[in-house]
mmCIF file of all heavy atoms in Angstrom:
data_model
loop_
_atom_site.group_PDB
_atom_site.id
_atom_site.type_symbol
_atom_site.label_atom_id
_atom_site.label_comp_id
_atom_site.label_asym_id
_atom_site.label_seq_id
_atom_site.Cartn_x
_atom_site.Cartn_y
_atom_site.Cartn_z
ATOM 1 N N ASP A 230 64.951 94.306 85.452
ATOM 2 C CA ASP A 230 63.896 94.155 86.470
ATOM 3 C C ASP A 230 64.425 93.410 87.697
ATOM 4 O O ASP A 230 64.107 93.767 88.843
ATOM 5 C CB ASP A 230 62.697 93.405 85.872
ATOM 6 C CG ASP A 230 61.977 94.235 84.825
ATOM 7 O OD1 ASP A 230 62.156 95.475 84.823
ATOM 8 O OD2 ASP A 230 61.255 93.652 83.986
ATOM 9 N N TRP A 231 65.213 92.356 87.474
ATOM 10 C CA TRP A 231 65.783 91.612 88.599
ATOM 11 C C TRP A 231 66.711 92.492 89.444
ATOM 12 O O TRP A 231 66.638 92.475 90.671
ATOM 13 C CB TRP A 231 66.581 90.398 88.078
ATOM 14 C CG TRP A 231 65.726 89.310 87.483
ATOM 15 C CD1 TRP A 231 64.402 89.102 87.690
ATOM 16 C CD2 TRP A 231 66.170 88.296 86.594
ATOM 17 N NE1 TRP A 231 63.971 88.017 86.991
ATOM 18 C CE2 TRP A 231 65.046 87.478 86.298
ATOM 19 C CE3 TRP A 231 67.390 87.972 86.003
ATOM 20 C CZ2 TRP A 231 65.114 86.383 85.448
ATOM 21 C CZ3 TRP A 231 67.464 86.872 85.158
ATOM 22 C CH2 TRP A 231 66.339 86.094 84.888
ATOM 23 N N ILE A 232 67.589 93.223 88.734
ATOM 24 C CA ILE A 232 68.543 94.076 89.451
ATOM 25 C C ILE A 232 67.808 95.148 90.260
ATOM 26 O O ILE A 232 68.114 95.375 91.439
ATOM 27 C CB ILE A 232 69.525 94.717 88.462
ATOM 28 C CG1 ILE A 232 70.445 93.672 87.846
ATOM 29 C CG2 ILE A 232 70.360 95.807 89.155
ATOM 30 C CD1 ILE A 232 71.360 92.983 88.822
ATOM 31 N N MET A 233 66.865 95.817 89.648
ATOM 32 C CA MET A 233 66.170 96.895 90.343
ATOM 33 C C MET A 233 65.338 96.366 91.500
ATOM 34 O O MET A 233 65.184 97.040 92.524
ATOM 35 C CB MET A 233 65.296 97.691 89.373
ATOM 36 C CG MET A 233 66.070 98.416 88.276
ATOM 37 S SD MET A 233 67.485 99.355 88.887
ATOM 38 C CE MET A 233 66.666 100.515 89.996
ATOM 39 N N LEU A 234 64.803 95.157 91.362
ATOM 40 C CA LEU A 234 64.059 94.535 92.470
ATOM 41 C C LEU A 234 64.994 94.287 93.652
ATOM 42 O O LEU A 234 64.638 94.552 94.805
ATOM 43 C CB LEU A 234 63.441 93.213 92.005
ATOM 44 C CG LEU A 234 62.640 92.429 93.063
ATOM 45 C CD1 LEU A 234 61.436 93.248 93.536
ATOM 46 C CD2 LEU A 234 62.205 91.084 92.524
ATOM 47 N N ALA A 235 66.223 93.816 93.351
ATOM 48 C CA ALA A 235 67.195 93.561 94.417
ATOM 49 C C ALA A 235 67.663 94.874 95.051
ATOM 50 O O ALA A 235 67.877 94.939 96.268
ATOM 51 C CB ALA A 235 68.389 92.796 93.852
ATOM 52 N N VAL A 236 67.814 95.909 94.227
ATOM 53 C CA VAL A 236 68.304 97.189 94.733
ATOM 54 C C VAL A 236 67.257 97.870 95.627
ATOM 55 O O VAL A 236 67.583 98.457 96.671
ATOM 56 C CB VAL A 236 68.706 98.101 93.561
ATOM 57 C CG1 VAL A 236 68.944 99.530 94.049
ATOM 58 C CG2 VAL A 236 69.965 97.567 92.886
ATOM 59 N N LYS A 237 65.987 97.793 95.229
ATOM 60 C CA LYS A 237 64.936 98.577 95.903
ATOM 61 C C LYS A 237 64.365 97.899 97.149
ATOM 62 O O LYS A 237 63.670 98.542 97.934
ATOM 63 C CB LYS A 237 63.814 98.881 94.914
ATOM 64 C CG LYS A 237 64.220 99.838 93.804
ATOM 65 C CD LYS A 237 63.068 100.135 92.861
ATOM 66 C CE LYS A 237 63.483 101.124 91.774
ATOM 67 N NZ LYS A 237 62.366 101.420 90.841
ATOM 68 N N THR A 238 64.611 96.605 97.309
ATOM 69 C CA THR A 238 64.052 95.910 98.470
ATOM 70 C C THR A 238 64.983 96.085 99.672
ATOM 71 O O THR A 238 65.548 95.129 100.203
ATOM 72 C CB THR A 238 63.855 94.422 98.179
ATOM 73 O OG1 THR A 238 65.094 93.877 97.711
ATOM 74 C CG2 THR A 238 62.765 94.209 97.146
ATOM 75 N N VAL A 239 65.186 97.311 100.073
ATOM 76 C CA VAL A 239 66.057 97.638 101.201
ATOM 77 C C VAL A 239 65.230 98.348 102.266
ATOM 78 O O VAL A 239 64.467 99.268 101.965
ATOM 79 C CB VAL A 239 67.217 98.557 100.756
ATOM 80 C CG1 VAL A 239 68.100 98.890 101.948
ATOM 81 C CG2 VAL A 239 68.024 97.890 99.667
ATOM 82 N N SER A 240 65.360 97.908 103.492
ATOM 83 C CA SER A 240 64.656 98.555 104.599
ATOM 84 C C SER A 240 65.581 98.586 105.810
ATOM 85 O O SER A 240 66.534 97.807 105.911
ATOM 86 C CB SER A 240 63.362 97.816 104.936
ATOM 87 O OG SER A 240 63.632 96.472 105.313
ATOM 88 N N TYR A 241 65.299 99.496 106.728
ATOM 89 C CA TYR A 241 66.150 99.686 107.908
ATOM 90 C C TYR A 241 65.292 99.767 109.177
ATOM 91 O O TYR A 241 64.118 100.142 109.128
ATOM 92 C CB TYR A 241 66.958 100.986 107.790
ATOM 93 C CG TYR A 241 67.845 101.047 106.572
ATOM 94 C CD1 TYR A 241 67.431 101.707 105.414
ATOM 95 C CD2 TYR A 241 69.107 100.477 106.585
ATOM 96 C CE1 TYR A 241 68.234 101.774 104.290
ATOM 97 C CE2 TYR A 241 69.941 100.543 105.467
ATOM 98 C CZ TYR A 241 69.494 101.190 104.324
ATOM 99 O OH TYR A 241 70.298 101.252 103.221
ATOM 100 N N ARG A 242 65.885 99.377 110.282
ATOM 101 C CA ARG A 242 65.320 99.612 111.607
ATOM 102 C C ARG A 242 66.397 100.253 112.469
ATOM 103 O O ARG A 242 67.574 99.935 112.336
ATOM 104 C CB ARG A 242 64.869 98.306 112.263
ATOM 105 C CG ARG A 242 63.620 97.659 111.660
ATOM 106 C CD ARG A 242 63.323 96.351 112.371
ATOM 107 N NE ARG A 242 62.162 95.683 111.825
ATOM 108 C CZ ARG A 242 60.914 95.837 112.263
ATOM 109 N NH1 ARG A 242 60.692 96.676 113.280
ATOM 110 N NH2 ARG A 242 59.910 95.194 111.729
ATOM 111 N N TYR A 243 66.002 101.148 113.345
ATOM 112 C CA TYR A 243 66.942 101.842 114.219
ATOM 113 C C TYR A 243 66.614 101.527 115.673
ATOM 114 O O TYR A 243 65.439 101.390 116.045
ATOM 115 C CB TYR A 243 66.884 103.364 113.992
ATOM 116 C CG TYR A 243 67.353 103.778 112.623
ATOM 117 C CD1 TYR A 243 66.443 103.933 111.575
ATOM 118 C CD2 TYR A 243 68.693 104.007 112.379
ATOM 119 C CE1 TYR A 243 66.878 104.325 110.317
ATOM 120 C CE2 TYR A 243 69.137 104.389 111.122
ATOM 121 C CZ TYR A 243 68.213 104.550 110.095
ATOM 122 O OH TYR A 243 68.643 104.915 108.860
ATOM 123 N N LEU A 244 67.667 101.398 116.475
ATOM 124 C CA LEU A 244 67.528 101.176 117.906
ATOM 125 C C LEU A 244 67.769 102.516 118.599
ATOM 126 O O LEU A 244 68.891 103.016 118.639
ATOM 127 C CB LEU A 244 68.522 100.122 118.383
ATOM 128 C CG LEU A 244 68.350 99.648 119.833
ATOM 129 C CD1 LEU A 244 67.022 98.929 120.006
ATOM 130 C CD2 LEU A 244 69.509 98.713 120.219
#
Side-chain angles (χ1 to χ4, degrees):
D230 292 340
W231 290 340
I232 292 295
M233 296 312 299
L234 179 63
V236 168
K237 292 181 178 180
T238 54
V239 179
S240 60
Y241 302 96
R242 288 178 181 269
Y243 294 93
L244 188 65

